């Protein structure tokens, strides 16, 4: 791991230390997804609520840079079921003689079902269907169907103003089968009951013989006058297949 990754790990340790030093009770963050940490939570949005997210990201690999901006539209049909549409746009840049490529990625339709929710626990089941693109471009889009399955759950610790999110999932792709497995974990704390939430997440993705893993210190700020939230995370790559570092953000508006 390079020096920038080491500095990010030091930042992560600082945030983790903050999560256990106070016993002030604050309202939990009930977001259904932490896009800047790339993890679903056990929650869904409230019935009748419409949410729009713009999620830009940048990852710097050895000799390659990947940029993406994704538009997400989410709507809760009931207290148990929400649906969403995701539309990504991607760009890949290469060192040396390689030409930059960019274009729209595969559109994905998804649904999330709230299985159970208690005072300090929530669990859901999610499914997403990636629609085949008319243009097969490696790294940008492909002409195959895909299905994502995930089981996220959330545990709350009110006496510490903390929440723990865990998501396990897998991806099936036409002609290739179940090619990808993932495990995402995030811990967050809202200090002093304020509108800022401190977060620490990790992503582990296994695809064939490759492992990508990241540690992501992050924060999220919620506006008080309008239903708007902004989150940002800085990813440190932990394996040779991972990017050296990455930057993720999320702009969220609720209606």
């Amino acid at each position: 791991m390079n020096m920038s990754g080491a500095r990010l790990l030091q930042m992560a340790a600082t945030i983790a230390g903050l999560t256990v030093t106070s016993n002030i009770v604050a309202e939990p963050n009930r977001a259904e997804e932490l896009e800047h940490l790339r993890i679903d939570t056990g929650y869904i949005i409230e019935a009748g609520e419409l949410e729009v997210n713009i999620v830009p990201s940048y990852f710097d690999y050895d000799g390659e840079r990947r940029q993406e901006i994704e538009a997400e539209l989410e709507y809760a049909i009931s207290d148990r079921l929400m649906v969403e549409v995701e539309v990504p746009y991607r760009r890949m840049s290469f060192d040396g003689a390689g030409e930059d490529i960019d274009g729209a990625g595969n559109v994905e339709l998804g649904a999330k079902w709230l299985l159970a929710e208690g005072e300090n626990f929530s669990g859901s089941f999610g499914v997403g269907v990636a629609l085949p693109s008319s243009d097969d471009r490696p790294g940008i889009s492909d002409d195959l169907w895909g299905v994502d399955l995930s089981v996220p759950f959330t545990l709350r610790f009110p006496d510490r103003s903390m929440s723990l999110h865990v998501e396990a999932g897998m991806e099936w792709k036409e002609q290739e089968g179940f090619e990808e497995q993932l495990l995402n974990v995030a811990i967050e704390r809202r200090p002093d009951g304020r509108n800022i939430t401190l977060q620490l997440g990790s992503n582990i993705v296994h695809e064939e013989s490759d492992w990508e893993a990241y540690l992501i210190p992050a924060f999220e700020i919620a506006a008080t006058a309008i239903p708007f939230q902004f989150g940002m995370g800085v990813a440190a790559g932990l394996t040779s297949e991972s990017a050296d570092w990455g930057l993720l953000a999320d702009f969220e508006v609720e209606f």
Side-chain angles (χ1 to χ4, degrees):
M1 183 170 55
N2 56 26
M3 289 298 295
S4 61
R7 287 194 292 269
L8 291 173
L9 287 176
Q10 186 176 8
M11 292 171 54
T14 301
I15 292 178
L18 287 172
T19 63
V20 296
T21 57
S22 172
N23 57 5
I24 298 174
V25 176
E27 285 297 312
N29 182 4
R30 290 183 55 87
E32 82 293 345
E33 184 177 7
L34 304 175
E35 285 87 350
H36 56 293
L37 291 172
R38 302 198 297 186
I39 183 173
D40 273 2
T41 75
Y43 301 117
I44 69 168
I45 58 178
E46 296 181 1
E49 185 175 291
L50 178 68
E51 187 173 290
V52 178
N53 294 79
I54 302 297
V55 187
S57 63
Y58 173 91
F59 282 87
D60 193 321
Y61 290 80
D62 184 18
E64 178 185 327
R65 288 156 301 284
R66 301 179 187 178
Q67 304 169 60
E68 178 176 312
I69 183 166
E70 184 172 84
E72 300 180 1
L73 181 66
E74 303 174 342
Y75 179 73
I77 297 174
S78 69
D79 291 333
R80 291 279 181 179
L81 179 64
M82 62 172 282
V83 293
E84 65 178 321
V85 180
E86 299 178 358
V87 183
Y89 188 88
R90 301 186 175 110
R91 180 180 180 85
M92 298 177 66
S93 305
F94 306 92
D95 293 342
E99 294 185 0
D100 295 356
I101 58 174
D102 64 283
N106 294 72
V107 174
E108 183 167 322
L109 308 178
K112 189 175 181 182
W113 178 262
L114 181 65
L115 298 175
E117 182 172 10
E119 183 177 358
N120 297 317
F121 170 82
S122 184
S124 300
F125 173 74
V127 59
V129 177
L131 306 181
S133 171
S134 59
D135 191 8
D136 188 5
R137 307 176 68 192
I140 302 296
S141 62
D142 57 53
D143 57 359
L144 303 175
W145 290 88
V147 178
D148 299 325
L149 304 174
S150 67
V151 181
F153 68 87
T154 295
L155 298 175
R156 286 183 52 210
F157 305 92
D159 58 329
R160 294 182 180 271
S161 305
M162 292 170 56
S163 296
L164 171 67
H165 311 288
V166 179
E167 177 193 15
M170 62 180 60
E171 177 183 304
W172 174 89
K173 185 170 287 187
E174 184 184 2
Q175 299 179 5
E176 300 176 13
F178 287 98
E179 62 166 6
E180 182 178 292
Q181 302 83 43
L182 63 85
L183 178 64
N184 299 321
V185 180
I187 188 170
E188 58 179 354
R189 177 178 176 270
R190 181 172 293 180
D192 304 328
R194 298 177 183 175
N195 291 333
I196 184 169
T197 303
L198 302 178
Q199 301 161 322
L200 179 63
S202 70
N203 304 146
I204 300 175
V205 180
H206 175 243
E207 184 175 355
E208 297 180 346
S209 60
D210 293 338
W211 290 86
E212 283 196 43
Y214 298 93
L215 193 63
I216 310 175
F219 68 89
E220 189 171 63
I221 298 174
T224 55
I226 57 175
F228 172 79
Q229 293 188 125
F230 169 73
M232 177 173 288
V234 182
L238 303 178
T239 67
S240 59
E241 291 86 9
S242 306
D244 293 332
W245 66 279
L247 184 64
L248 305 101
D250 176 36
F251 301 86
E252 176 184 305
V253 180
E254 299 174 358
F255 298 93

